[in-house]
Amino acid sequence: MTRAAETSGSLLCFDVDRVREDFPVLHQKIRDRDLVYLDNAATTQKPQTVIDAISRYYGQQNANIHRGVHYLSQEATFAYERARARIRLFLNAAANAEIIFVRGTTEGINLVAHSYGGSNLKENDEIVISHTEHHSNIIPWQLLCARTGAILRVVPVDDDGQFLLEEYAALLNDRTRIVAVAHASNALGTINPVREIARLAHDRGAVVVVDGAQGVPHLPVDVRDLDCDFYAFSGHKVFGPTGVGILYGRKSLIDAMPPYEGGGSMIKTVSFEETTYADLPAKFEAGTPHIAGGIALESAIDYVTALGPERIAAYETTLLEYAIDLLSEIDGLRLIGAAPKRDRIGDRVGVISFVMEAAHPHDIGTILDTEGVAVRAGHHCAQPAMARFGVPATVRASLAFYNTHEEIDALAAGLRKVNEVFGG
Ligand code: PLP
């Protein structure tokens, strides 16, 4: 079957109107216009099942976990641990012990930098990242370099925002200890060749950290197939709550790593002379976690799984193609990143970054807002990526599976209005 046939086949049963019914926030007027929510890379909207899971936890189940003998505590513990097991299946990790609840992608990456980096790196060791990383996948490594004397190396991207594998291979050497890359760029949408990146890193004995913040919402993710050592993502970007996320860590590595934070729940025994630590994953989960968040994240993952990550990717690709066609026709609009390469459209998630001759991105964002269209304008926490493309900021429209072709029409109409207002 051709890719196109597969796509249309898998789209036959994708009923976007039905899907939208599950997202209450989408059904409102903003400034007297139907809300068009195209800021999904910043955060996604929540289906009713996720909202219900949070409300059910606080309304019926609320108790602290892992420590109570009473009924409610055991119920809450059961629900939280069931969520962990569900997320393990979703990522195809080998064991529940490899699934660590964190606050989000940012905390996941900081955990690896502190715990793995702090105990394994020394002066002149090297850490490799790419030019288009989110600040969350830059600054933890800079801080680690400052603490250890390690050196940060940056893989360039081409004019389409594509990761340059040959340059990457040439940067690797026997001092490379960590390679940290985004699964997909939040600024450009480019999907990085993680499997190949991991293979080359492992050949050099380096570990691979994947920032999956923009991967999990748009792509099927299998950590064993990617063969990464760590994979971090945020609940709120995958239709779940804020304040909760996941760090997957390869068991052989996290077993040997020291705790990141100390406190309750992460110990076996404590005395003033000596403390011993809990088994995985508790060793990395000090203090009371976001219990409602973890439980509701399971509902979000169930929702995405029921829709099917492959169908989501296929549907979003049709939206992306449509959007690129429409936006390419707008006077003075320049797409930033991989946009012009039609043959590589399957290599992108639904993120479209652009600038316009007529107006600054912030003014464009403001005009679109008056039309009810929510986009992001700014550097998207990726200032080096902006610098690479010679712009201080872009407008970013980012898609989710509940967006429609009509909403892309509304975006294009808003952008034509920008040209009218600013005389472009
Ligand atoms: N990495 C990428 C690629 C992102 O898009 C984001 C958020 O925009 C992050 C990391 C940080 O995610 P969080 O703020 O949820 O920790």
Side-chain angles (χ1 to χ4, degrees), residues 41-43 103-109 132-137 182-187 211-215 233-237 243-244 380-381 396:
T43 199
R103 288 204 314 275
T105 310
T106 303
E107 189 181 39
I109 296 172
T132 52
E133 297 304 318
H134 188 281
H135 296 165
S136 296
N137 200 27
H183 198 170
S185 154
N186 70 304
D211 169 351
Q214 303 297 339
F233 74 89
S234 301
H236 71 100
K237 293 191 197 281
V244 68
H380 320 299
C381 297
R396 181 186 70 185

PDB file of all heavy atoms in Angstrom, residues 41-43 103-109 132-137 182-187 211-215 233-237 243-244 380-381 396, ligand 1:
ATOM      1  N   ALA A  41       1.424  23.931  20.569  1.00  0.00           N
ATOM      2  CA  ALA A  41       2.791  23.601  20.986  1.00  0.00           C
ATOM      3  C   ALA A  41       3.077  24.193  22.365  1.00  0.00           C
ATOM      4  O   ALA A  41       3.942  23.703  23.092  1.00  0.00           O
ATOM      5  CB  ALA A  41       3.803  24.119  19.964  1.00  0.00           C
ATOM      6  N   ALA A  42       2.351  25.256  22.726  1.00  0.00           N
ATOM      7  CA  ALA A  42       2.529  25.849  24.064  1.00  0.00           C
ATOM      8  C   ALA A  42       1.812  25.002  25.098  1.00  0.00           C
ATOM      9  O   ALA A  42       2.385  24.609  26.109  1.00  0.00           O
ATOM     10  CB  ALA A  42       2.008  27.280  24.076  1.00  0.00           C
ATOM     11  N   THR A  43       0.552  24.736  24.857  1.00  0.00           N
ATOM     12  CA  THR A  43      -0.174  23.760  25.677  1.00  0.00           C
ATOM     13  C   THR A  43      -1.406  23.316  24.902  1.00  0.00           C
ATOM     14  O   THR A  43      -1.929  24.072  24.072  1.00  0.00           O
ATOM     15  CB  THR A  43      -0.545  24.323  27.064  1.00  0.00           C
ATOM     16  OG1 THR A  43      -0.831  23.219  27.944  1.00  0.00           O
ATOM     17  CG2 THR A  43      -1.736  25.249  27.040  1.00  0.00           C
ATOM     18  N   ARG A 103       7.651  16.903  36.979  1.00  0.00           N
ATOM     19  CA  ARG A 103       6.709  18.021  36.751  1.00  0.00           C
ATOM     20  C   ARG A 103       6.461  18.261  35.265  1.00  0.00           C
ATOM     21  O   ARG A 103       5.460  18.832  34.882  1.00  0.00           O
ATOM     22  CB  ARG A 103       7.258  19.306  37.373  1.00  0.00           C
ATOM     23  CG  ARG A 103       7.211  19.349  38.880  1.00  0.00           C
ATOM     24  CD  ARG A 103       7.211  20.795  39.381  1.00  0.00           C
ATOM     25  NE  ARG A 103       8.213  21.615  38.714  1.00  0.00           N
ATOM     26  CZ  ARG A 103       9.491  21.708  39.077  1.00  0.00           C
ATOM     27  NH1 ARG A 103       9.922  21.046  40.114  1.00  0.00           N
ATOM     28  NH2 ARG A 103      10.325  22.478  38.426  1.00  0.00           N
ATOM     29  N   GLY A 104       7.426  17.870  34.438  1.00  0.00           N
ATOM     30  CA  GLY A 104       7.281  18.093  33.004  1.00  0.00           C
ATOM     31  C   GLY A 104       8.619  17.838  32.330  1.00  0.00           C
ATOM     32  O   GLY A 104       9.579  17.377  32.963  1.00  0.00           O
ATOM     33  N   THR A 105       8.674  18.161  31.056  1.00  0.00           N
ATOM     34  CA  THR A 105       9.903  17.938  30.287  1.00  0.00           C
ATOM     35  C   THR A 105      11.089  18.638  30.942  1.00  0.00           C
ATOM     36  O   THR A 105      12.185  18.075  31.048  1.00  0.00           O
ATOM     37  CB  THR A 105       9.712  18.505  28.859  1.00  0.00           C
ATOM     38  OG1 THR A 105       8.493  17.998  28.329  1.00  0.00           O
ATOM     39  CG2 THR A 105      10.866  18.132  27.967  1.00  0.00           C
ATOM     40  N   THR A 106      10.857  19.874  31.373  1.00  0.00           N
ATOM     41  CA  THR A 106      11.959  20.664  31.932  1.00  0.00           C
ATOM     42  C   THR A 106      12.563  19.944  33.134  1.00  0.00           C
ATOM     43  O   THR A 106      13.790  19.810  33.232  1.00  0.00           O
ATOM     44  CB  THR A 106      11.433  22.053  32.366  1.00  0.00           C
ATOM     45  OG1 THR A 106      10.833  22.659  31.224  1.00  0.00           O
ATOM     46  CG2 THR A 106      12.542  22.931  32.908  1.00  0.00           C
ATOM     47  N   GLU A 107      11.713  19.479  34.035  1.00  0.00           N
ATOM     48  CA  GLU A 107      12.267  18.798  35.203  1.00  0.00           C
ATOM     49  C   GLU A 107      12.928  17.485  34.803  1.00  0.00           C
ATOM     50  O   GLU A 107      13.968  17.115  35.359  1.00  0.00           O
ATOM     51  CB  GLU A 107      11.207  18.527  36.269  1.00  0.00           C
ATOM     52  CG  GLU A 107      11.892  18.018  37.532  1.00  0.00           C
ATOM     53  CD  GLU A 107      10.953  17.692  38.680  1.00  0.00           C
ATOM     54  OE1 GLU A 107       9.862  17.155  38.440  1.00  0.00           O
ATOM     55  OE2 GLU A 107      11.331  17.977  39.818  1.00  0.00           O
ATOM     56  N   GLY A 108      12.365  16.782  33.838  1.00  0.00           N
ATOM     57  CA  GLY A 108      12.961  15.520  33.401  1.00  0.00           C
ATOM     58  C   GLY A 108      14.386  15.711  32.914  1.00  0.00           C
ATOM     59  O   GLY A 108      15.305  14.961  33.272  1.00  0.00           O
ATOM     60  N   ILE A 109      14.586  16.739  32.092  1.00  0.00           N
ATOM     61  CA  ILE A 109      15.927  16.970  31.544  1.00  0.00           C
ATOM     62  C   ILE A 109      16.878  17.433  32.652  1.00  0.00           C
ATOM     63  O   ILE A 109      18.031  16.994  32.726  1.00  0.00           O
ATOM     64  CB  ILE A 109      15.859  17.983  30.374  1.00  0.00           C
ATOM     65  CG1 ILE A 109      15.034  17.388  29.234  1.00  0.00           C
ATOM     66  CG2 ILE A 109      17.272  18.342  29.892  1.00  0.00           C
ATOM     67  CD1 ILE A 109      14.718  18.352  28.102  1.00  0.00           C
ATOM     68  N   THR A 132      18.519  23.826  17.236  1.00  0.00           N
ATOM     69  CA  THR A 132      17.111  24.261  17.308  1.00  0.00           C
ATOM     70  C   THR A 132      16.437  23.814  18.607  1.00  0.00           C
ATOM     71  O   THR A 132      15.208  23.733  18.677  1.00  0.00           O
ATOM     72  CB  THR A 132      16.313  23.710  16.107  1.00  0.00           C
ATOM     73  OG1 THR A 132      16.526  22.306  16.034  1.00  0.00           O
ATOM     74  CG2 THR A 132      16.730  24.364  14.819  1.00  0.00           C
ATOM     75  N   GLU A 133      17.225  23.549  19.639  1.00  0.00           N
ATOM     76  CA  GLU A 133      16.627  23.063  20.884  1.00  0.00           C
ATOM     77  C   GLU A 133      15.831  24.158  21.605  1.00  0.00           C
ATOM     78  O   GLU A 133      16.149  25.343  21.505  1.00  0.00           O
ATOM     79  CB  GLU A 133      17.716  22.531  21.828  1.00  0.00           C
ATOM     80  CG  GLU A 133      18.478  21.341  21.291  1.00  0.00           C
ATOM     81  CD  GLU A 133      17.580  20.176  20.902  1.00  0.00           C
ATOM     82  OE1 GLU A 133      16.629  19.877  21.637  1.00  0.00           O
ATOM     83  OE2 GLU A 133      17.836  19.581  19.825  1.00  0.00           O
ATOM     84  N   HIS A 134      14.836  23.714  22.355  1.00  0.00           N
ATOM     85  CA  HIS A 134      14.140  24.566  23.330  1.00  0.00           C
ATOM     86  C   HIS A 134      15.123  24.901  24.453  1.00  0.00           C
ATOM     87  O   HIS A 134      16.023  24.107  24.754  1.00  0.00           O
ATOM     88  CB  HIS A 134      12.957  23.754  23.872  1.00  0.00           C
ATOM     89  CG  HIS A 134      12.006  24.514  24.739  1.00  0.00           C
ATOM     90  ND1 HIS A 134      12.263  24.788  26.057  1.00  0.00           N
ATOM     91  CD2 HIS A 134      10.780  25.048  24.483  1.00  0.00           C
ATOM     92  CE1 HIS A 134      11.236  25.443  26.587  1.00  0.00           C
ATOM     93  NE2 HIS A 134      10.323  25.623  25.646  1.00  0.00           N
ATOM     94  N   HIS A 135      14.945  26.047  25.083  1.00  0.00           N
ATOM     95  CA  HIS A 135      15.857  26.429  26.172  1.00  0.00           C
ATOM     96  C   HIS A 135      15.939  25.343  27.255  1.00  0.00           C
ATOM     97  O   HIS A 135      16.968  25.204  27.919  1.00  0.00           O
ATOM     98  CB  HIS A 135      15.413  27.756  26.800  1.00  0.00           C
ATOM     99  CG  HIS A 135      15.482  28.902  25.831  1.00  0.00           C
ATOM    100  ND1 HIS A 135      14.868  30.116  26.045  1.00  0.00           N
ATOM    101  CD2 HIS A 135      16.086  29.021  24.620  1.00  0.00           C
ATOM    102  CE1 HIS A 135      15.094  30.920  25.022  1.00  0.00           C
ATOM    103  NE2 HIS A 135      15.829  30.275  24.141  1.00  0.00           N
ATOM    104  N   SER A 136      14.858  24.578  27.421  1.00  0.00           N
ATOM    105  CA  SER A 136      14.867  23.485  28.418  1.00  0.00           C
ATOM    106  C   SER A 136      15.885  22.406  28.094  1.00  0.00           C
ATOM    107  O   SER A 136      16.232  21.609  28.963  1.00  0.00           O
ATOM    108  CB  SER A 136      13.509  22.780  28.460  1.00  0.00           C
ATOM    109  OG  SER A 136      12.525  23.641  28.879  1.00  0.00           O
ATOM    110  N   ASN A 137      16.275  22.343  26.837  1.00  0.00           N
ATOM    111  CA  ASN A 137      17.275  21.338  26.451  1.00  0.00           C
ATOM    112  C   ASN A 137      18.600  22.012  26.091  1.00  0.00           C
ATOM    113  O   ASN A 137      19.407  21.453  25.364  1.00  0.00           O
ATOM    114  CB  ASN A 137      16.758  20.485  25.289  1.00  0.00           C
ATOM    115  CG  ASN A 137      17.500  19.162  25.181  1.00  0.00           C
ATOM    116  OD1 ASN A 137      18.021  18.642  26.182  1.00  0.00           O
ATOM    117  ND2 ASN A 137      17.592  18.623  23.973  1.00  0.00           N
ATOM    118  N   ALA A 182      15.836  17.220  20.639  1.00  0.00           N
ATOM    119  CA  ALA A 182      14.367  17.181  20.624  1.00  0.00           C
ATOM    120  C   ALA A 182      13.904  16.105  19.651  1.00  0.00           C
ATOM    121  O   ALA A 182      14.516  15.917  18.591  1.00  0.00           O
ATOM    122  CB  ALA A 182      13.816  18.527  20.194  1.00  0.00           C
ATOM    123  N   HIS A 183      12.824  15.422  19.992  1.00  0.00           N
ATOM    124  CA  HIS A 183      12.200  14.518  19.019  1.00  0.00           C
ATOM    125  C   HIS A 183      11.677  15.357  17.852  1.00  0.00           C
ATOM    126  O   HIS A 183      11.884  15.018  16.697  1.00  0.00           O
ATOM    127  CB  HIS A 183      11.073  13.743  19.697  1.00  0.00           C
ATOM    128  CG  HIS A 183      10.660  12.522  18.946  1.00  0.00           C
ATOM    129  ND1 HIS A 183       9.817  11.581  19.457  1.00  0.00           N
ATOM    130  CD2 HIS A 183      10.973  12.082  17.703  1.00  0.00           C
ATOM    131  CE1 HIS A 183       9.624  10.622  18.565  1.00  0.00           C
ATOM    132  NE2 HIS A 183      10.313  10.906  17.487  1.00  0.00           N
ATOM    133  N   ALA A 184      11.011  16.476  18.213  1.00  0.00           N
ATOM    134  CA  ALA A 184      10.544  17.422  17.184  1.00  0.00           C
ATOM    135  C   ALA A 184      10.740  18.836  17.712  1.00  0.00           C
ATOM    136  O   ALA A 184      10.545  19.098  18.904  1.00  0.00           O
ATOM    137  CB  ALA A 184       9.076  17.176  16.864  1.00  0.00           C
ATOM    138  N   SER A 185      11.111  19.730  16.818  1.00  0.00           N
ATOM    139  CA  SER A 185      11.381  21.121  17.225  1.00  0.00           C
ATOM    140  C   SER A 185      10.086  21.880  17.476  1.00  0.00           C
ATOM    141  O   SER A 185       9.179  21.860  16.635  1.00  0.00           O
ATOM    142  CB  SER A 185      12.178  21.819  16.123  1.00  0.00           C
ATOM    143  OG  SER A 185      11.951  23.211  16.160  1.00  0.00           O
ATOM    144  N   ASN A 186      10.018  22.567  18.614  1.00  0.00           N
ATOM    145  CA  ASN A 186       8.804  23.345  18.912  1.00  0.00           C
ATOM    146  C   ASN A 186       8.770  24.633  18.097  1.00  0.00           C
ATOM    147  O   ASN A 186       7.715  25.223  17.922  1.00  0.00           O
ATOM    148  CB  ASN A 186       8.724  23.680  20.404  1.00  0.00           C
ATOM    149  CG  ASN A 186       9.766  24.683  20.811  1.00  0.00           C
ATOM    150  OD1 ASN A 186      10.956  24.470  20.594  1.00  0.00           O
ATOM    151  ND2 ASN A 186       9.333  25.795  21.385  1.00  0.00           N
ATOM    152  N   ALA A 187       9.928  25.074  17.598  1.00  0.00           N
ATOM    153  CA  ALA A 187       9.972  26.337  16.853  1.00  0.00           C
ATOM    154  C   ALA A 187       9.675  26.122  15.372  1.00  0.00           C
ATOM    155  O   ALA A 187       9.096  26.992  14.722  1.00  0.00           O
ATOM    156  CB  ALA A 187      11.336  26.992  17.021  1.00  0.00           C
ATOM    157  N   ASP A 211      14.258  15.037  24.195  1.00  0.00           N
ATOM    158  CA  ASP A 211      13.227  15.972  24.647  1.00  0.00           C
ATOM    159  C   ASP A 211      11.988  15.661  23.812  1.00  0.00           C
ATOM    160  O   ASP A 211      11.903  16.042  22.639  1.00  0.00           O
ATOM    161  CB  ASP A 211      13.731  17.397  24.416  1.00  0.00           C
ATOM    162  CG  ASP A 211      12.640  18.439  24.603  1.00  0.00           C
ATOM    163  OD1 ASP A 211      11.461  18.061  24.736  1.00  0.00           O
ATOM    164  OD2 ASP A 211      12.980  19.627  24.588  1.00  0.00           O
ATOM    165  N   GLY A 212      11.041  14.959  24.440  1.00  0.00           N
ATOM    166  CA  GLY A 212       9.878  14.497  23.688  1.00  0.00           C
ATOM    167  C   GLY A 212       8.661  15.396  23.820  1.00  0.00           C
ATOM    168  O   GLY A 212       7.541  14.984  23.482  1.00  0.00           O
ATOM    169  N   ALA A 213       8.867  16.646  24.276  1.00  0.00           N
ATOM    170  CA  ALA A 213       7.725  17.532  24.525  1.00  0.00           C
ATOM    171  C   ALA A 213       6.834  17.668  23.291  1.00  0.00           C
ATOM    172  O   ALA A 213       5.606  17.708  23.403  1.00  0.00           O
ATOM    173  CB  ALA A 213       8.213  18.908  24.985  1.00  0.00           C
ATOM    174  N   GLN A 214       7.460  17.733  22.110  1.00  0.00           N
ATOM    175  CA  GLN A 214       6.656  17.863  20.878  1.00  0.00           C
ATOM    176  C   GLN A 214       6.596  16.550  20.101  1.00  0.00           C
ATOM    177  O   GLN A 214       6.099  16.526  18.980  1.00  0.00           O
ATOM    178  CB  GLN A 214       7.223  18.981  19.980  1.00  0.00           C
ATOM    179  CG  GLN A 214       7.300  20.337  20.642  1.00  0.00           C
ATOM    180  CD  GLN A 214       5.930  20.901  21.029  1.00  0.00           C
ATOM    181  OE1 GLN A 214       4.885  20.502  20.489  1.00  0.00           O
ATOM    182  NE2 GLN A 214       5.913  21.820  21.982  1.00  0.00           N
ATOM    183  N   GLY A 215       7.128  15.484  20.679  1.00  0.00           N
ATOM    184  CA  GLY A 215       7.050  14.189  20.014  1.00  0.00           C
ATOM    185  C   GLY A 215       5.759  13.470  20.373  1.00  0.00           C
ATOM    186  O   GLY A 215       4.937  13.144  19.510  1.00  0.00           O
ATOM    187  N   PHE A 233       8.725  13.949  28.600  1.00  0.00           N
ATOM    188  CA  PHE A 233       7.621  14.703  27.984  1.00  0.00           C
ATOM    189  C   PHE A 233       6.733  15.322  29.053  1.00  0.00           C
ATOM    190  O   PHE A 233       6.816  14.974  30.235  1.00  0.00           O
ATOM    191  CB  PHE A 233       6.827  13.835  26.988  1.00  0.00           C
ATOM    192  CG  PHE A 233       5.925  12.795  27.579  1.00  0.00           C
ATOM    193  CD1 PHE A 233       4.608  13.085  27.904  1.00  0.00           C
ATOM    194  CD2 PHE A 233       6.379  11.505  27.795  1.00  0.00           C
ATOM    195  CE1 PHE A 233       3.752  12.125  28.430  1.00  0.00           C
ATOM    196  CE2 PHE A 233       5.536  10.521  28.322  1.00  0.00           C
ATOM    197  CZ  PHE A 233       4.222  10.843  28.640  1.00  0.00           C
ATOM    198  N   SER A 234       5.889  16.266  28.634  1.00  0.00           N
ATOM    199  CA  SER A 234       5.028  17.028  29.541  1.00  0.00           C
ATOM    200  C   SER A 234       3.576  16.607  29.362  1.00  0.00           C
ATOM    201  O   SER A 234       3.081  16.569  28.225  1.00  0.00           O
ATOM    202  CB  SER A 234       5.111  18.526  29.233  1.00  0.00           C
ATOM    203  OG  SER A 234       6.430  18.980  29.351  1.00  0.00           O
ATOM    204  N   GLY A 235       2.875  16.393  30.466  1.00  0.00           N
ATOM    205  CA  GLY A 235       1.470  16.014  30.382  1.00  0.00           C
ATOM    206  C   GLY A 235       0.623  17.055  29.657  1.00  0.00           C
ATOM    207  O   GLY A 235      -0.246  16.718  28.852  1.00  0.00           O
ATOM    208  N   HIS A 236       0.890  18.329  29.924  1.00  0.00           N
ATOM    209  CA  HIS A 236      -0.015  19.360  29.399  1.00  0.00           C
ATOM    210  C   HIS A 236       0.085  19.527  27.888  1.00  0.00           C
ATOM    211  O   HIS A 236      -0.802  20.121  27.278  1.00  0.00           O
ATOM    212  CB  HIS A 236       0.239  20.703  30.101  1.00  0.00           C
ATOM    213  CG  HIS A 236       1.528  21.363  29.726  1.00  0.00           C
ATOM    214  ND1 HIS A 236       1.595  22.382  28.817  1.00  0.00           N
ATOM    215  CD2 HIS A 236       2.800  21.147  30.133  1.00  0.00           C
ATOM    216  CE1 HIS A 236       2.854  22.785  28.694  1.00  0.00           C
ATOM    217  NE2 HIS A 236       3.600  22.045  29.487  1.00  0.00           N
ATOM    218  N   LYS A 237       1.160  18.999  27.279  1.00  0.00           N
ATOM    219  CA  LYS A 237       1.266  19.113  25.825  1.00  0.00           C
ATOM    220  C   LYS A 237       0.646  17.906  25.128  1.00  0.00           C
ATOM    221  O   LYS A 237       0.598  17.828  23.910  1.00  0.00           O
ATOM    222  CB  LYS A 237       2.730  19.262  25.421  1.00  0.00           C
ATOM    223  CG  LYS A 237       3.319  20.587  25.909  1.00  0.00           C
ATOM    224  CD  LYS A 237       4.659  20.852  25.310  1.00  0.00           C
ATOM    225  CE  LYS A 237       5.425  21.912  26.047  1.00  0.00           C
ATOM    226  NZ  LYS A 237       4.995  23.274  25.728  1.00  0.00           N
ATOM    227  N   GLY A 243       1.823  20.512  35.230  1.00  0.00           N
ATOM    228  CA  GLY A 243       2.476  20.149  36.493  1.00  0.00           C
ATOM    229  C   GLY A 243       2.801  18.682  36.633  1.00  0.00           C
ATOM    230  O   GLY A 243       3.226  18.234  37.693  1.00  0.00           O
ATOM    231  N   VAL A 244       2.610  17.919  35.555  1.00  0.00           N
ATOM    232  CA  VAL A 244       2.988  16.506  35.598  1.00  0.00           C
ATOM    233  C   VAL A 244       3.597  16.133  34.248  1.00  0.00           C
ATOM    234  O   VAL A 244       3.205  16.657  33.209  1.00  0.00           O
ATOM    235  CB  VAL A 244       1.775  15.592  35.929  1.00  0.00           C
ATOM    236  CG1 VAL A 244       0.748  15.560  34.819  1.00  0.00           C
ATOM    237  CG2 VAL A 244       2.231  14.182  36.279  1.00  0.00           C
ATOM    238  N   HIS A 380       9.709  31.593  21.167  1.00  0.00           N
ATOM    239  CA  HIS A 380       9.298  30.219  21.465  1.00  0.00           C
ATOM    240  C   HIS A 380      10.315  29.483  22.333  1.00  0.00           C
ATOM    241  O   HIS A 380      10.505  28.263  22.176  1.00  0.00           O
ATOM    242  CB  HIS A 380       9.015  29.434  20.164  1.00  0.00           C
ATOM    243  CG  HIS A 380       8.297  30.245  19.141  1.00  0.00           C
ATOM    244  ND1 HIS A 380       7.045  30.777  19.384  1.00  0.00           N
ATOM    245  CD2 HIS A 380       8.665  30.685  17.908  1.00  0.00           C
ATOM    246  CE1 HIS A 380       6.674  31.476  18.326  1.00  0.00           C
ATOM    247  NE2 HIS A 380       7.639  31.456  17.430  1.00  0.00           N
ATOM    248  N   CYS A 381      10.981  30.222  23.219  1.00  0.00           N
ATOM    249  CA  CYS A 381      12.020  29.612  24.079  1.00  0.00           C
ATOM    250  C   CYS A 381      13.058  28.886  23.233  1.00  0.00           C
ATOM    251  O   CYS A 381      13.540  27.805  23.622  1.00  0.00           O
ATOM    252  CB  CYS A 381      11.425  28.668  25.111  1.00  0.00           C
ATOM    253  SG  CYS A 381      10.352  29.494  26.271  1.00  0.00           S
ATOM    254  N   ARG A 396       3.906  31.593  15.343  1.00  0.00           N
ATOM    255  CA  ARG A 396       3.855  30.130  15.271  1.00  0.00           C
ATOM    256  C   ARG A 396       2.410  29.664  15.415  1.00  0.00           C
ATOM    257  O   ARG A 396       1.763  29.910  16.423  1.00  0.00           O
ATOM    258  CB  ARG A 396       4.688  29.525  16.389  1.00  0.00           C
ATOM    259  CG  ARG A 396       4.718  27.999  16.365  1.00  0.00           C
ATOM    260  CD  ARG A 396       5.443  27.438  17.569  1.00  0.00           C
ATOM    261  NE  ARG A 396       4.689  27.632  18.785  1.00  0.00           N
ATOM    262  CZ  ARG A 396       5.123  27.334  20.008  1.00  0.00           C
ATOM    263  NH1 ARG A 396       6.346  26.844  20.168  1.00  0.00           N
ATOM    264  NH2 ARG A 396       4.373  27.520  21.069  1.00  0.00           N
TER     265      ARG A 396
HETATM  266  N1  PLP B   1      10.973  21.126  24.974  1.00  0.00           N
HETATM  267  C1  PLP B   1      10.175  21.485  23.971  1.00  0.00           C
HETATM  268  C2  PLP B   1      10.511  21.047  22.580  1.00  0.00           C
HETATM  269  C3  PLP B   1       9.050  22.265  24.227  1.00  0.00           C
HETATM  270  O1  PLP B   1       8.244  22.614  23.228  1.00  0.00           O
HETATM  271  C4  PLP B   1       8.777  22.663  25.558  1.00  0.00           C
HETATM  272  C5  PLP B   1       7.641  23.552  25.839  1.00  0.00           C
HETATM  273  O2  PLP B   1       7.259  24.359  25.034  1.00  0.00           O
HETATM  274  C6  PLP B   1       9.629  22.217  26.563  1.00  0.00           C
HETATM  275  C7  PLP B   1      10.713  21.464  26.250  1.00  0.00           C
HETATM  276  C8  PLP B   1       9.365  22.562  27.998  1.00  0.00           C
HETATM  277  O3  PLP B   1       8.192  21.960  28.428  1.00  0.00           O
HETATM  278  P1  PLP B   1       7.612  22.251  29.889  1.00  0.00           P
HETATM  279  O4  PLP B   1       7.569  23.737  30.030  1.00  0.00           O
HETATM  280  O5  PLP B   1       6.270  21.616  29.873  1.00  0.00           O
HETATM  281  O6  PLP B   1       8.553  21.609  30.863  1.00  0.00           O
END
